[in-house]
Amino acid sequence: MPHPSSLEFFWDPASPYTYLAATRIETLAEEAGIALNWRPFLLGGVFKATGNRAPAEVAAKGRYLFEDLQRWASLYGVPLRFPESFPANSIQALRAALVAEESGQGPAFARAVMAAHWGEGRDINNPAVLAEVAEGAGLSADAVAQQMQSQEIKDRLRANTDEAVARGAFGAPTFFVGDVMFWGNDRVPLLKAYLQES
Amino acid sequence: MPHPSSLEFFWDPASPYTYLAATRIETLAEEAGIALNWRPFLLGGVFKATGNRAPAEVAAKGRYLFEDLQRWASLYGVPLRFPESFPANSIQALRAALVAEESGQGPAFARAVMAAHWGEGRDINNPAVLAEVAEGAGLSADAVAQQMQSQEIKDRLRANTDEAVARGAFGAPTFFVGDVMFWGNDRVPLLKAYLQES
């Protein structure tokens, strides 16, 4: 098998497990010597297309979710503050992420928006929060706010989402190494083992 | 916190992730110095009570499931043969497990029935297979076949299932250390960390 050229990371800041995985994936990619490709996609669109649903839609799972997330955050040594705005509408944040991508600030924006939402519990559907995140990632908040409303950006988010579904995704985070898919923060160890073997 | 006296392991042989976890949990409990309490329960009943559903009910998840299971089996170094009878009706096997429990053969039967189903791909709803599993676990197949039809055994399986749901379970495997719940083969590392700390 030829060594794959990149590790694709489909992320949506609405997903807490994506936040957790994001705190680990850069080091993992670096250690494996593989480029990390951050790909914003809309988890809500994935659920709609596949018939899958968010864990919190099952009441007992939702009750467990909070405890489980705290355990992972504590294991990883990262902050976790459950946002009052959960479940978030992440479409504006994702469009902003695609704008950030154009100037090479995609990863910085992704990190910042997930840290704001899951590390600090902030509402990422609030334009003021998004503006602050954009500035923090080295972008002009005004320029982002304007460009993210373009049809091209909207189409690109939809295309990323459709592509992930077509390739087999049904949740987040989803990782691809070529055609090989891994789903979930809890599969990061399997992904790591795969990259070490290939 | 007082040291909990046992680690409860709610298991159903219909669940492949329960099989995987079962191959690891005895060593884990031994190393943590905690007694392991095997508790048969009916996953189908849990799904019905909680509104949760099996992964394979989402088509894309079902496609991924097979690959994911192979990865875990290979990581753990255990055999995996996907049964043609999937998804299994496990109610007879679970009732037999409760009969086995009465003579102290609960764990031996649990191990054997999961190995037959997931390690060898055999149909555990087939009475001949169940008989063989019972004999392999040191039981009289005829006695098991008779006792497992008693109302008491049927009630006990229902009681275990209801109890798990009342305590927060929504899937399998489910582990309890006192009131603290862990769900899934993929949470075995979190369970291990918890036992080491407590």
Side-chain angles (χ1 to χ4, degrees):
Chain A
M1 194 186 78
H3 193 74
S5 65
S6 81
L7 166 58
E8 293 171 87
F9 173 27
F10 282 87
W11 67 277
D12 180 325
S15 154
Y17 293 107
T18 301
Y19 160 68
L20 289 166
T23 68
R24 295 243 147 165
I25 199 65
E26 289 181 289
T27 304
L28 187 153
E30 226 170 84
E31 286 173 0
I34 191 168
L36 182 62
N37 186 3
W38 297 72
R39 313 250 354 234
F41 78 148
L42 187 65
L43 182 56
V46 172
F47 285 155
K48 206 170 167 185
T50 58
N52 200 9
R53 53 186 177 171
E57 284 185 45
V58 175
K61 232 176 186 172
R63 284 189 288 274
Y64 174 75
L65 180 77
F66 183 71
E67 207 172 342
D68 187 54
L69 292 171
Q70 294 287 358
R71 286 172 188 157
W72 284 106
S74 144
L75 185 73
Y76 287 3
V78 297
L80 182 77
R81 184 165 165 186
F82 211 85
E84 282 175 35
S85 54
F86 179 83
N89 180 338
S90 56
I91 198 163
Q92 301 301 334
L94 286 162
R95 287 175 182 162
L98 286 167
V99 175
E101 211 174 79
E102 293 187 340
S103 52
Q105 299 304 99
F109 184 90
R111 264 179 239 120
V113 77
M114 285 191 270
H117 192 48
W118 290 107
E120 301 171 33
R122 304 186 72 188
D123 177 2
I124 53 166
N125 199 33
N126 177 333
V129 172
L130 269 191
E132 209 180 296
V133 166
E135 296 278 353
L139 296 152
S140 151
D142 286 347
V144 171
Q146 198 188 334
Q147 290 167 50
M148 64 193 264
Q149 302 310 332
S150 74
Q151 194 57 46
E152 194 211 325
I153 289 292
K154 292 178 184 176
D155 291 348
R156 209 184 302 163
L157 181 57
R158 186 179 302 254
N160 277 7
T161 306
D162 291 349
E163 180 196 324
V165 169
R167 292 168 73 185
F170 50 83
T174 296
F175 303 96
F176 286 99
V177 185
D179 288 339
V180 180
M181 185 175 89
F182 295 82
W183 166 58
N185 167 64
D186 45 30
R187 266 42 173 190
V188 168
L190 294 183
L191 169 62
K192 188 176 178 171
Y194 178 79
L195 289 173
Q196 280 167 346
E197 286 157 19
S198 64
Chain B
M1 196 185 76
H3 194 74
S5 65
S6 82
L7 166 59
E8 292 171 88
F9 173 28
F10 282 88
W11 66 277
D12 180 326
S15 153
Y17 292 107
T18 301
Y19 160 68
L20 289 166
T23 68
R24 293 244 148 164
I25 200 67
E26 290 180 289
T27 305
L28 187 152
E30 228 170 82
E31 286 174 359
I34 190 167
L36 183 62
N37 186 2
W38 297 72
R39 313 255 348 239
F41 78 148
L42 186 65
L43 182 56
V46 173
F47 285 155
K48 206 169 167 186
T50 59
N52 200 8
R53 53 185 178 173
E57 285 185 46
V58 174
K61 232 174 184 173
R63 284 189 288 274
Y64 174 74
L65 181 77
F66 184 72
E67 207 173 343
D68 187 54
L69 292 171
Q70 294 287 358
R71 285 172 189 157
W72 284 107
S74 144
L75 185 73
Y76 286 4
V78 297
L80 182 78
R81 185 166 165 187
F82 210 85
E84 280 175 37
S85 53
F86 179 84
N89 180 339
S90 55
I91 197 162
Q92 302 300 333
L94 286 162
R95 287 175 181 161
L98 286 167
V99 175
E101 211 174 77
E102 293 187 339
S103 52
Q105 299 304 100
F109 184 90
R111 264 179 239 120
V113 78
M114 285 191 270
H117 192 48
W118 290 109
E120 300 171 32
R122 304 185 72 188
D123 177 3
I124 53 167
N125 199 34
N126 178 334
V129 173
L130 269 190
E132 208 181 298
V133 166
E135 297 279 352
L139 296 151
S140 150
D142 287 346
V144 171
Q146 199 188 333
Q147 291 169 49
M148 63 192 264
Q149 302 309 331
S150 75
Q151 194 57 46
E152 193 210 326
I153 289 291
K154 291 179 184 176
D155 290 348
R156 208 183 305 163
L157 180 58
R158 188 179 302 255
N160 277 7
T161 307
D162 291 349
E163 179 196 324
V165 169
R167 292 169 72 185
F170 51 84
T174 296
F175 303 96
F176 286 99
V177 185
D179 288 339
V180 180
M181 184 175 91
F182 294 83
W183 166 58
N185 168 63
D186 45 29
R187 265 42 173 193
V188 168
L190 294 183
L191 168 62
K192 188 176 179 174
Y194 177 79
L195 289 172
Q196 280 166 346
E197 286 157 20
S198 64

